[in-house]
Amino acid sequence: MRVLAINDISCVGKCSLTVALPIISASGVTCDILPTAILSTHTGGFKGYTFRDLSDDIPAILSHWKSLGLKYDIIISGYLGSISQIEMVKNIKKDFLKTDGLMIVDPVMGDNGLLYAHFDDNFVQEMKGLCRSADILIPNLTEACYLTGIDYHKACEGNYTAVLDALKTLCRRPAVTGCDVKTENGTTLSTVFYTDDNGNTKTYSTTKIEGAFHGAGDVYSSALVGALARGIHLDTAVQIAADFTTASIQQTKLDQTEARYGLNSESQMYSFLQNLDKASKK
Ligand code: PXL
């Protein structure tokens, strides 16, 4: 099983490839990487970071890979440094994904109702094109709202099914993370709303931990890919990925580290791997 992770390298701040590579590899499959940019830190919460766009290097990397005959079972795309990279990813799917392979798109663009630095409406429009080529689309609620034109604050009132339905015009199997659901006893759950293979809407909830935690989306997407690459069914893969992310957030909160330095997912890796083993033996 061979996975390609397309994402940036944020050298500090535990997100994108520094999260994807260890989590997907630890899941027990080969994870090759295509870095889209190199930054000294990610762009959320740091000032003065460096940013080198690697678009110019990508064509030569790809032609070398073609000469090796590389093909992938799963391709996951994340943070893209420019609009031209969106087009590159579409072509990578055509050239490197096996016929029965899985294209997973995490349309990394924003969080908490806002776009990250460097992104604008033009980028959002172009990203819709990449989402159309995805087999599974995994935005957070903010990204889902930008992609569908639904007002974020309206969506937060709870009509997440409407957001999921609107995303289905882009991709057959969307899965939206970070949907807050209030329960009757006053607690809040963090819920994934997703569509299964048969088009049914399903949900999976974990305890909502208050606070903003950087890199949570990357931990989730990487764990999901790891589980799917192990042949685990989407329903169980969503559960395992959400549980791993929530446990990592919980530990990060206990550690009281600065949110911008990312999640302590390392401490939860062993139990994540045990869950993968249990599920893949079923
Ligand atoms: O975690 C998402 C992400 C990935 N890559 C870069 C980022 C961010 C979010 O801020 O800045 C470079």
Side-chain angles (χ1 to χ4, degrees):
M1 182 62 66
R2 195 168 201 110
V3 176
L4 174 63
I6 307 171
N7 216 324
D8 71 274
I9 297 177
S10 288
C11 300
V12 170
K14 290 197 279 188
C15 64
S16 34
L17 283 181
T18 67
V19 166
L21 180 55
I23 293 176
I24 297 171
S25 298
S27 301
V29 297
T30 296
C31 182
D32 293 341
I33 59 165
L34 183 64
T36 56
I38 297 187
L39 299 87
S40 52
T41 67
H42 61 71
T43 66
F46 293 98
K47 287 206 178 85
Y49 52 81
T50 67
F51 188 123
R52 179 176 298 274
D53 185 311
L54 294 178
S55 299
D56 288 350
D57 294 85
I58 291 176
I61 293 173
L62 297 179
S63 60
H64 185 209
W65 288 359
K66 260 190 200 162
S67 77
L68 299 174
L70 291 171
K71 290 280 176 187
Y72 290 93
D73 299 286
I74 298 181
I75 297 179
I76 163 90
S77 79
Y79 187 98
L80 303 177
S82 61
I83 283 181
S84 69
Q85 289 187 348
I86 294 178
E87 218 43 51
M88 283 184 191
V89 174
K90 287 187 204 161
N91 288 326
I92 292 169
K93 181 194 169 185
K94 280 193 205 116
D95 294 343
F96 293 96
L97 189 64
K98 288 184 182 169
T99 330
D100 56 350
L102 207 55
M103 181 74 199
I104 303 179
V105 173
D106 182 356
V108 176
M109 295 186 293
D111 205 359
N112 301 307
L114 297 172
L115 292 176
Y116 297 133
H118 309 290
F119 295 117
D120 57 16
D121 198 49
N122 207 9
F123 189 92
V124 175
Q125 294 312 318
E126 294 296 322
M127 181 55 95
K128 284 185 195 174
L130 181 57
C131 295
R132 285 193 187 93
S133 77
D135 296 305
I136 302 181
L137 176 63
I138 52 170
N140 62 29
L141 183 61
T142 300
E143 291 150 352
C145 286
Y146 274 100
L147 289 169
T148 56
I150 293 173
D151 180 78
Y152 175 75
H153 297 285
K154 263 243 156 68
C156 288
E157 286 167 14
N159 195 356
Y160 302 117
T161 312
V163 178
L164 197 71
D165 285 344
L167 280 173
K168 282 188 204 160
T169 62
L170 293 175
C171 172
R172 208 165 62 80
R173 277 181 296 175
V176 185
T177 53
C179 302
D180 287 0
V181 175
K182 294 218 162 34
T183 64
E184 279 167 14
N185 64 17
T187 57
T188 305
L189 300 173
S190 181
T191 302
V192 184
F193 278 72
Y194 69 100
T195 310
D196 72 6
D197 299 346
N198 305 318
N200 301 315
T201 297
K202 290 191 173 159
T203 62
Y204 182 68
S205 296
T206 53
T207 314
K208 159 96 179 165
I209 299 151
E210 288 307 325
F213 295 90
H214 202 279
D218 302 278
V219 170
Y220 174 81
S221 63
S222 308
L224 186 75
V225 167
L228 292 172
R230 285 282 295 271
I232 294 166
H233 188 273
L234 181 66
D235 290 333
T236 311
V238 166
Q239 291 174 18
I240 291 176
D243 288 346
F244 177 45
T245 310
T246 302
S248 302
I249 292 174
Q250 233 148 13
Q251 187 56 51
T252 308
K253 188 152 188 165
L254 283 174
D255 295 346
Q256 297 186 308
T257 46
E258 281 183 57
R260 63 183 179 164
Y261 283 99
L263 292 191
N264 180 351
S265 63
E266 300 87 347
S267 63
Q268 307 306 313
M269 188 74 91
Y270 185 58
S271 86
F272 164 63
L273 298 184
Q274 283 178 315
N275 288 335
L276 286 185
D277 264 350
K278 257 186 257 158
S280 51
K281 284 198 181 96
K282 269 184 195 160

